[in-house]
Amino acid sequence: MLRYLLCTLLLAGLVGLAAPTAHAQLRIGGGLIYGFDIEQLGLQANGFYQIQPNIEVGGDFTFYFPEEIGNITSRVFSINPTGHYIFFDDEESLRAYGLAGINIARFSVESDNQFFDDFSDTEFGLLLGAGGEYTLDFGRVFAELRFALEGEEQASLAAGIRFAIGD
């Protein structure tokens, strides 16, 4: 699964080399995410590369905290290659964007019980949503509302901070 994210970031870099670099900027960060369907809190790491004044490409890795019920443990993580279309940017403090991408979700259920077979599955789907960033002295605070259609099939709310690298 990690290879999908690495390929996406590599592709973003290659596209960025071919695009005008006046607005090129890499931002990486992370934060918390809450999945409304699975009712779990998780951690998210993300990175985006701005290739045009209003277009960014990148993605995120999301890991939801495991849920334990008796001797059964369920785990969910996802990799989401994503693009942002920036529809508002005052270039000083506030930015708003729509997002679209691919949701690659991995589910697993494990148990110590000899009568229960462990289970895992990977599903693919479409990711749609919107978000915003607010610029601070040291980085940008972000919040996103996302909908995974197929794959995870849930709404999620993420918030965190991103830091500019280079430029």
Side-chain angles (χ1 to χ4, degrees):
M1 288 301 169
L2 184 59
R3 68 177 179 238
Y4 293 115
L5 181 59
L6 292 175
C7 288
T8 301
L9 292 175
L10 177 63
L11 179 61
L14 292 174
V15 170
L17 291 174
T21 58
H23 293 92
Q25 183 183 47
L26 176 65
R27 290 187 332 283
I28 61 171
L32 296 174
I33 187 166
Y34 182 78
F36 290 101
D37 188 51
I38 63 172
E39 298 179 351
Q40 288 295 108
L41 186 66
L43 297 174
Q44 181 189 76
N46 58 55
F48 289 92
Y49 186 71
Q50 187 172 356
I51 59 172
Q52 293 290 325
N54 61 342
I55 298 174
E56 297 177 321
V57 294
D60 66 76
F61 174 80
T62 300
F63 172 79
Y64 291 98
F65 296 116
E67 181 178 12
E68 295 185 16
I69 301 173
N71 64 352
I72 298 174
T73 303
S74 65
R75 291 181 174 84
V76 178
F77 71 87
S78 65
I79 296 172
N80 306 296
T82 308
H84 291 171
Y85 179 79
I86 302 162
F87 57 84
F88 176 80
D89 189 354
D90 70 6
E91 297 184 7
E92 290 182 22
S93 62
L94 190 60
R95 170 187 283 191
Y97 54 87
L99 64 90
I102 298 170
N103 173 247
I104 305 165
R106 177 80 174 165
F107 306 90
S108 67
V109 179
E110 300 168 351
S111 175
D112 296 339
N113 188 331
Q114 63 182 357
F115 301 108
F116 182 85
D117 290 333
D118 293 348
F119 170 79
S120 64
D121 191 21
T122 302
E123 296 183 7
F124 297 84
L126 181 64
L127 188 66
L128 298 173
E133 294 180 337
Y134 183 77
T135 303
L136 301 173
D137 291 338
F138 56 89
R140 291 182 179 180
V141 175
F142 74 91
E144 295 178 349
L145 179 61
R146 305 161 6 145
F147 301 93
L149 311 172
E150 300 298 322
E152 287 180 82
E153 293 184 353
Q154 73 169 336
S156 59
L157 182 62
I161 190 159
R162 294 184 183 121
F163 302 98
I165 305 297
D167 191 71

